[in-house]
Amino acid sequence: MNLLAKNHKDNVETIASTIFLILGVINIGFVLLICVYLVIAGLPAIIKIGPIDFLFGAKWASTAAEPQFGILPFILTSIYGTAGAIVIGLPLGFFTAVYLAKIASKKVRYVIEPLIDLLAGIPSVVYGFIGMLVLVPSIRSLFSLPDGASLFAAIIVLAVMILPSIIKVSITALEAVPQEYELGSLALGANEIETYYRVVVPAAKSGIAAAVVLGVGRAIGEAMAVMMVAGNAANMPSLFESVRFLTTAVASEMSYSSGLQREALFSIALVLFVFIMMINATLNVLLKRGGVKRK
Amino acid sequence: MSDKTATSLHSGIPLPRAMYARTLKGCMLVCLSLTVALVFFLILYILIRALPHLSWEIVSTKPSYLKGTIGVLPDILNTIYLVVTALIIVLPLGVGAAIYLNEYAKSPKLVKGIEYAVETLAGIPSIIYGLVGMLFFCQFLSLQTSLLAGALTLVIMSIPVIIRTTQESLKTVPQGYREGAYGLGSARWHMIRTVVLPCCIDGIVTGCILAAGRMLGESAALLFTAGFAHALHGYIDGITSSGATLTVALYVYAKEQGEFEVAFVIAAILLVLCFITNYLAQAYGRHMKKVKG
């Protein structure tokens, strides 16, 4: 009887450990599934169109009588849009992070950090919606344009959306710097501000770089908010013109696409995926060097 | 601390140094107030525009072409169905994977591989999840555009959140508990079930709240997997048919139909939900810290 019970217990243990092994490995399966599906769905169109024509073709006219599938405008728009968002969002987030991490009193942090969490949690469609109703009309009247839906509007919305991740990761990085560095600098006669910017910030360099890369990843992958404010015309990027990003190119035509056009949309997703994988690899290196955990 | 800086600025520090400090301090204050002002503007703008249109009728009815009214009840229900279904599926998957990584795994190579995979999943943009979900769940598994397909897509998307929070709270369980259980003759699974898991319930709950928050705000992944319908269904019918969640409904009403009043009401609902999930996650996190000392 005792032996039987022991056998039963052993069986349960073996089953449990097998199940957990499967649950762990299944995650690798998910990533492979996504990769394989994107490659299978995206590669044929790239081969049919020709990689050079596809990636560097300057004209996208998928529904024309003689369709042209050049995604250079989308790639450039995504790069410019992301760069613009970083240019606006980074200084804003960086200075806020230094203040919150080093100068703000506990009470101030207690009030402001939930606000930043809220900013991080607001759904992207809400950003798009507010951008559409507030930003787009004001850009139109401010710069007297025929339509305010433009790359500029998208850049501002994206800058707001990446702000919380830049702030949060930068704060973690700044707080990971050992206190001794600060004390040493203060003892040498530097004042607080000099200490923060000449000692603590350089020491937290990799972590802050990781915050930037994380922001780049968010910005380049954002679809809904951008779709609502960028105008969605397949133009070459220009600050005050209606543009289409890689993400919005996929989303805006998917519902009515067919044939080669549909395959080309999957190819765009594949290109986007390659971008994201490169950004992720950079992020991992930076996080490891900065000793900051990803949140 | 800031008082000290202010006084030291006036006590014989060379001008360039004083300027440097003052400029940077000014920059920080400007940026901080801009950020805070931005948050307040967003909250107030949404609430003020939504309040006049907020009524019991709009949240308790479905859209009616006959009466020409719009109600968001179907969208609320769809969101609940979707989040509940996705959470039920993702919970065992995520917690199980975290337990494997923390308690069972022996080969460091495999752990690295799995952790790399989880990090990759966390970085993939939602529109790509939407596409793959459409290809795999809707077409390959022929679930059509349905809330179930949307929920399964969200499952893959939110696994990293659950794994990360569970892993973090598993790490806070003292090693002594495990050794004590082993010393009393417990086997591994028995030890995990009776000693480790009860200790990290809070972490798992926090993970669920965070994951639910992400699901509530998701739209790009649902556009092609869960669809746009506004029909009123029970759970079983609802989960197998196409349905718009709050976010998707907001997008459709705002971008395609120009119904801004309803869109503002939905935005306000989403804002409140987001506030609640954030608050709960934080309160739970704080509670956990207190209990663990």
Side-chain angles (χ1 to χ4, degrees):
Chain A
M1 192 62 209
N2 209 352
L3 208 65
L4 261 178
K6 189 174 181 315
N7 246 343
H8 173 73
K9 202 171 144 191
D10 280 355
N11 279 341
V12 171
E13 288 297 323
T14 332
I15 293 170
S17 71
T18 325
I19 288 177
F20 284 120
L21 175 67
I22 293 171
L23 287 178
V25 174
I26 207 171
N27 290 296
I28 300 181
F30 286 143
V31 174
L32 287 180
L33 178 92
I34 292 173
C35 291
V36 167
Y37 258 92
L38 278 178
V39 170
I40 289 178
L43 217 50
I46 296 185
I47 292 170
K48 256 181 252 167
I49 299 161
I52 305 285
D53 284 345
F54 182 69
L55 288 174
F56 300 109
K59 196 162 163 44
W60 173 267
S62 56
T63 45
E66 262 180 63
Q68 275 180 297
F69 299 100
I71 63 164
L72 190 63
F74 307 154
I75 295 180
L76 287 181
T77 306
S78 275
I79 293 175
Y80 290 175
T82 308
I86 293 289
V87 166
I88 297 177
L90 176 62
L92 206 57
F94 169 71
F95 284 119
T96 311
V98 176
Y99 187 89
L100 287 178
K102 289 293 159 196
I103 298 177
S105 64
K106 254 198 176 145
K107 242 188 208 159
V108 173
R109 277 189 76 161
Y110 192 79
V111 176
I112 292 183
E113 280 191 348
L115 290 180
I116 289 165
D117 285 336
L118 189 67
L119 206 58
I122 294 178
S124 54
V125 276
V126 175
Y127 282 113
F129 179 50
I130 303 295
M132 198 171 105
L133 286 189
V134 179
L135 206 57
V136 170
S138 35
I139 287 178
R140 189 182 59 206
S141 56
L142 209 62
F143 299 97
S144 50
L145 301 165
D147 186 8
S150 59
L151 179 59
F152 187 59
I155 284 177
I156 292 183
V157 170
L158 286 178
V160 173
M161 292 185 68
I162 62 173
L163 196 56
S165 38
I166 289 188
I167 294 178
K168 300 223 86 176
V169 180
S170 302
I171 288 182
T172 328
L174 289 167
E175 281 180 342
V177 176
Q179 181 117 43
E180 286 80 7
Y181 288 25
E182 251 174 81
L183 297 176
S185 159
L186 289 172
L188 288 171
N191 62 32
E192 275 97 349
I193 303 276
E194 284 167 334
T195 304
Y196 301 147
Y197 282 91
R198 299 226 164 121
V199 177
V200 180
V201 169
K205 202 165 57 202
S206 322
I208 295 172
V212 174
V213 179
L214 191 66
V216 169
R218 286 271 156 82
I220 214 165
E222 180 48 48
M224 301 306 279
V226 168
M227 196 137 103
M228 293 167 93
V229 297
N232 278 333
N235 293 325
M236 272 298 187
S238 138
L239 202 53
F240 292 111
E241 245 183 287
S242 165
V243 290
R244 202 184 276 186
F245 287 67
L246 281 171
T247 47
T248 48
V250 179
S252 58
E253 285 187 23
M254 191 44 96
S255 49
Y256 57 85
S257 61
S258 60
L260 185 60
Q261 182 196 2
R262 194 177 177 83
E263 286 176 29
L265 294 183
F266 287 118
S267 310
I268 297 178
L270 182 61
V271 173
L272 177 65
F273 187 65
V274 171
F275 269 98
I276 291 287
M277 291 305 268
M278 288 193 290
I279 293 168
N280 271 352
T282 325
L283 185 64
N284 276 332
V285 172
L286 286 172
L287 285 175
K288 235 166 243 152
R289 210 184 294 157
V292 181
K293 258 207 203 142
R294 191 167 171 170
K295 279 227 169 127
Chain B
M1 200 185 273
S2 54
D3 282 337
K4 234 191 280 166
T5 324
T7 48
S8 64
L9 284 179
H10 301 292
S11 53
I13 286 180
L15 194 64
R17 274 183 72 191
M19 284 291 286
Y20 176 82
R22 220 173 285 171
T23 323
L24 283 176
K25 211 161 180 207
C27 278
M28 281 193 282
L29 286 176
V30 168
C31 290
L32 182 77
S33 28
L34 268 177
T35 309
V36 174
L38 186 80
V39 184
F40 276 114
F41 166 75
L42 282 172
I43 298 173
L44 290 179
Y45 184 76
I46 292 172
L47 291 184
I48 288 173
R49 291 288 300 261
L51 267 183
H53 310 291
L54 199 61
S55 64
W56 177 243
E57 223 174 314
I58 207 164
V59 293
S60 65
T61 54
K62 60 176 188 172
S64 154
Y65 286 110
L66 287 178
K67 284 184 265 173
T69 55
I70 295 182
V72 295
L73 182 65
D75 311 324
I76 296 177
L77 285 181
N78 284 335
T79 310
I80 296 173
Y81 297 159
L82 185 84
V83 170
V84 168
T85 317
L87 273 185
I88 289 174
I89 302 172
V90 77
L91 202 56
L93 284 179
V95 173
I99 290 178
Y100 177 74
L101 288 174
N102 221 47
E103 309 287 333
Y104 279 94
K106 288 191 194 85
S107 122
K109 252 188 199 160
L110 189 58
V111 172
K112 254 198 188 138
I114 294 174
E115 280 182 345
Y116 189 75
V118 173
E119 270 158 30
T120 309
L121 282 180
I124 294 177
S126 50
I127 180 91
I128 286 184
Y129 280 111
L131 278 190
V132 175
M134 181 181 84
L135 288 174
F136 186 72
F137 295 123
C138 301
Q139 290 173 8
F140 183 72
L141 297 184
S142 57
L143 295 170
Q144 311 302 338
T145 15
S146 64
L147 279 180
L148 185 60
L152 290 172
T153 311
L154 288 189
V155 164
I156 302 184
M157 237 181 105
S158 48
I159 274 187
V161 182
I162 304 270
I163 291 185
R164 222 174 283 151
T165 45
T166 311
Q167 246 187 317
E168 250 160 51
S169 72
L170 280 174
K171 277 177 193 153
T172 62
V173 177
Q175 200 58 33
Y177 288 17
R178 297 189 179 91
E179 278 153 17
Y182 283 142
L184 291 171
S186 163
R188 188 168 293 213
W189 166 236
H190 190 257
M191 179 271 291
I192 292 170
R193 190 162 50 88
T194 53
V195 177
V196 176
L197 275 184
C199 285
C200 56
I201 285 290
D202 283 341
I204 296 172
V205 173
T206 313
C208 281
I209 299 169
L210 288 176
R214 264 196 86 179
M215 290 170 188
L216 284 173
E218 190 44 57
S219 45
L222 297 175
L223 219 49
F224 310 120
T225 52
F228 306 97
H230 296 295
L232 206 51
H233 285 301
Y235 180 74
I236 299 295
D237 284 340
I239 204 76
T240 49
S241 56
S242 150
T245 60
L246 283 168
T247 43
V248 174
L250 169 57
Y251 174 75
V252 173
Y253 283 134
K255 187 90 203 307
E256 264 138 43
Q257 304 182 356
E259 301 276 4
F260 294 140
E261 292 92 3
V262 188
F264 268 113
V265 170
I266 298 178
I269 296 175
L270 283 171
L271 195 67
V272 171
L273 286 175
C274 165
F275 190 79
I276 294 174
T277 48
N278 272 354
Y279 178 78
L280 285 179
Q282 223 172 23
Y284 246 100
R286 218 175 290 141
H287 173 71
M288 196 163 69
K289 255 186 209 154
K290 220 185 265 169
V291 172
K292 300 267 152 64

